[in-house]
């Protein structure tokens, strides 16, 4: 696990805050913010209960008098997605800080795909064994078998292929964010405070401009409906690392305003929420922003309770598999169980399988993938650097054919940035080399492992293909958290 990041004291200005300070109790033990682990689990549990209770008693007011009126609270569990996206902006910037695009890519692939591949295979197996699946409302959508391979790539929404499970929609939204961050890393060769501010402001404004001109291309690239959450999450991380200031406060305030507007104006007719939703949803969005404000100002460390790391590890697999497992429990046992029993069994099964996925799938798969992907990217980088160095080096004074016996020419100096694998090789003067230029080493040694797993991003839920929150069950491909 990566060490805790060095955080400047909030009283220091970003420009002068260069001296590391002691990690807070919440991060010192394992380099993680354990309060975020617990918050991620709470968000996943809210989404799970939103789905389970809605499927058991119904999505509208007709179910409010059942199960002691619990659905009146769980109907708003989809706001767990809002918290997920805020946390994602926070931890993805933390993951990208001080890293190149290759290390960022490794961290995302290793974090996202093992559990996701398992979840997609599980959906297909359940469908083949029982015929149960998240049925599309549109007959033109592809069937489960046709959609399997596109779903395995996590790119099915871009192909307009039906997701095998509704919760996959937020993965597509998250991927937009990752691509934008990767582009920023490539363009700027790393994240700095000023570049982050420019990136966040540009993304917010470009998203609004895209909505103004109703550009399909820009809307797809910038996902303006959800961008305010990621931007605010990044601002919260900068506030956590460097301390609050007016610029960050304004960015967060604008993001909150845009996020609240989008949440309250995109109607969800299937939920058939009462008029109280006009107040409850803005309050819910405000609540998740307030929670992250407390995290960023280091006032939520008390949430880093014992076992929070395990709960955080369960979050992603729980998010991916809970709908599939809940559907099986309802359809196979629902007639023999009451509403509360169905809910209880569904929750226990989902938590048990999620823990098994974490221990038996994620941990070994990540351990296998990380060093191999790291080595692959290191080889790509070194080969590219070697080609560039060869192209820029001067021609040898004499070719091997005209060189006198015993004559040795000094090897052309190698640029310092191409010798990252070995500190020793970068410090030795190239002019003293006794190796002919023609015989410079071309074999690439495996790069060093980057070590522990970074803090994972919050997982995703589900969303419509258009990137907008339209409905829990209104159209095929529209997810429901």
């Amino acid at each position: 696990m990566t060490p805790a990041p060095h955080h400047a004291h909030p009283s220091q200005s970003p420009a002068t805050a260069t001296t590391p300070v002691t990690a807070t109790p919440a991060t010192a033990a394992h380099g993680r913010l354990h309060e975020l682990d617990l918050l991620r689990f709470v968000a996943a549990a809210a989404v799970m209960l939103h789905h389970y209770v809605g499927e058991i008693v119904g999505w509208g007011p007709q179910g409010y008098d059942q199960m002691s009126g619990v659905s009146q609270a769980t109907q708003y569990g989809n706001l767990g997605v809002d918290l997920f996206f805020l946390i994602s902006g926070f931890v993805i910037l933390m993951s990208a800080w001080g890293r190149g695009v290759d290390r960022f890519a490794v961290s995302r692939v290793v974090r996202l795909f093992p559990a996701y591949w398992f979840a997609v295979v599980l959906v297909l197996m359940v469908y083949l064994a029982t015929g149960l699946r998240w049925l599309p409302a549109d007959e033109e959508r592809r069937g489960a078998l046709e959609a399997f391979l596109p779903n395995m790539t996590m790119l099915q929404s871009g192909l307009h292929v039906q997701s095998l499970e509704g919760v996959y929609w937020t993965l597509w939204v998250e991927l937009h964010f990752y691509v934008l961050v990767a582009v920023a890393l490539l363009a700027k060769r790393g994240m700095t405070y000023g570049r982050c501010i420019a990136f966040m402001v540009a993304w917010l404004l470009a998203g609004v401009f895209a909505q103004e001109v109703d550009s399909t291309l820009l809307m797809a690239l910038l996902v303006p409906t959800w961008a305010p959450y990621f931007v605010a999450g990044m601002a919260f991380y900068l506030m956590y690392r460097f301390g609050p200031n007016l610029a960050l406060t304004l960015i967060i305030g604008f993001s909150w305003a845009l996020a609240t507007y989008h949440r309250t104006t995109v109607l969800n007719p299937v939920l058939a929420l009462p008029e109280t939703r006009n107040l409850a949803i803005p309050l819910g969005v405000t609540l998740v922003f307030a929670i992250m404000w407390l995290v960023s100002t280091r006032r939520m460390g008390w949430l880093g309770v014992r076992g929070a790391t395990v709960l955080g590890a369960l979050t992603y697999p729980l998010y991916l598999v809970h709908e599939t497992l809940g559907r099986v429990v309802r359809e196979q046992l629902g007639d023999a169980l009451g509403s509360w029993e169905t809910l209880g069994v569904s929750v226990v099964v989902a938590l048990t399988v999620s823990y098994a996925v974490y221990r038996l799938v994620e941990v070994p798969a990540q351990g296998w993938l990380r060093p191999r992907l790291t080595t692959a990217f290191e080889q790509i980088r070194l080969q590219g650097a070697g080609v560039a160095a060869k192209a820029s080096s001067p021609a040898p004074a004499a070719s091997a054919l005209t060189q006198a016996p015993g004559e040795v020419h000094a090897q052309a100096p190698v640029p310092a940035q191409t010798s990252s694998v070995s500190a020793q090789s970068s410090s030795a003067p190239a002019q003293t080399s006794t190796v002919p230029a023609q015989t410079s080493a071309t074999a690439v040694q495996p790069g060093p492992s980057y070590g522990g797993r970074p803090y994972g991003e919050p997982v995703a839920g589900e969303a419509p293909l258009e990137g907008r929150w339209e409905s829990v069950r209104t159209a095929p491909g529209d997810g429901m958290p």
Side-chain angles (χ1 to χ4, degrees), residues 14-334:
T16 60
T18 57
T19 303
V21 298
T22 303
T24 61
T27 62
H30 300 290
R32 300 173 70 95
L33 277 74
H34 295 298
E35 57 266 39
L36 291 185
D37 283 318
L38 185 59
L39 288 173
R40 289 174 58 214
F41 181 79
V42 169
V47 171
M48 175 179 65
L49 293 175
H50 172 71
H51 290 157
Y52 283 175
V53 174
E55 292 289 355
I56 292 172
V57 304
W59 297 102
Q62 68 274 13
Y64 290 169
D65 58 346
Q66 302 183 45
M67 299 182 69
S68 302
V70 68
S71 63
Q72 295 188 50
T74 59
Q75 64 179 323
Y76 298 110
N78 54 4
L79 290 172
V81 172
D82 302 56
L83 181 56
F84 273 137
F85 285 159
L86 281 172
I87 297 176
S88 184
F90 188 106
V91 299
I92 293 306
L93 181 55
M94 181 166 65
S95 178
W97 197 274
R99 290 182 170 185
V101 68
D102 54 346
R103 296 181 65 185
F104 176 71
V106 169
S107 72
R108 294 304 90 209
V109 171
V110 168
R111 181 69 181 91
L112 289 180
F113 278 98
Y116 175 75
W117 283 330
F118 175 87
V120 173
V121 172
L122 176 65
V123 172
L124 184 65
M125 292 175 62
V126 167
Y127 169 67
L128 294 177
T130 66
L132 298 175
R133 63 171 175 168
W134 186 53
L135 292 172
D138 186 345
E139 294 182 358
E140 294 181 1
R141 295 289 180 176
R142 298 178 186 272
L145 291 175
E146 290 179 281
F148 174 71
L149 290 180
N151 272 256
M152 288 291 283
T153 69
M154 207 182 286
L155 304 176
Q156 68 274 8
S157 294
L159 300 173
H160 301 289
V161 173
Q162 174 71 35
S163 290
L164 291 183
E165 198 60 84
V167 292
Y168 299 164
W169 72 263
T170 55
L171 297 175
W172 183 239
V173 176
E174 292 268 353
L175 283 175
H176 286 71
F177 178 39
Y178 300 161
V179 169
L180 291 175
V181 170
V183 169
L185 289 174
L186 282 172
K188 297 296 185 180
R189 296 183 181 179
M191 287 289 189
T192 66
Y193 194 101
R195 290 167 185 167
C196 283
I197 295 293
F199 174 81
M200 292 185 291
V201 173
W203 190 7
L204 276 184
L205 292 178
V208 174
F209 295 158
Q211 292 174 304
E212 178 187 18
V213 300
D214 197 21
S215 169
T216 302
L217 175 61
L218 291 178
M219 294 278 284
L221 289 175
L222 302 173
V223 285
T225 304
W226 299 108
Y229 294 94
F230 296 114
V231 170
M234 296 174 72
F236 282 129
Y237 174 70
L238 292 178
M239 184 178 292
Y240 177 84
R241 185 181 180 102
F242 298 107
N245 60 46
L246 182 58
L248 294 177
T249 302
L250 288 175
I251 290 173
I252 292 170
F254 275 77
S255 298
W256 166 80
L258 292 173
T260 303
Y261 169 76
H262 289 140
R263 259 305 196 187
T264 54
T265 56
V266 180
L267 181 63
N268 192 331
V270 172
L271 285 179
L273 297 176
E275 288 298 320
T276 53
R277 77 179 297 275
N278 295 329
L279 179 62
I281 289 182
L283 286 177
V285 174
T286 302
L287 176 62
V288 297
F289 270 77
I291 289 172
M292 289 305 297
W293 182 282
L294 294 175
V295 170
S296 68
T297 53
R298 302 172 184 261
R299 293 185 174 93
M300 297 290 280
W302 56 274
L303 282 180
V305 296
R306 183 180 181 87
T309 301
V310 175
L311 293 177
L314 292 181
T315 301
Y316 187 42
L318 178 64
Y319 207 97
L320 292 173
V321 304
H322 76 270
E323 275 204 293
T324 304
L325 299 173
R327 185 178 303 112
V328 174
V329 171
R330 287 192 307 274
E331 296 296 331
Q332 302 297 327
L333 303 176

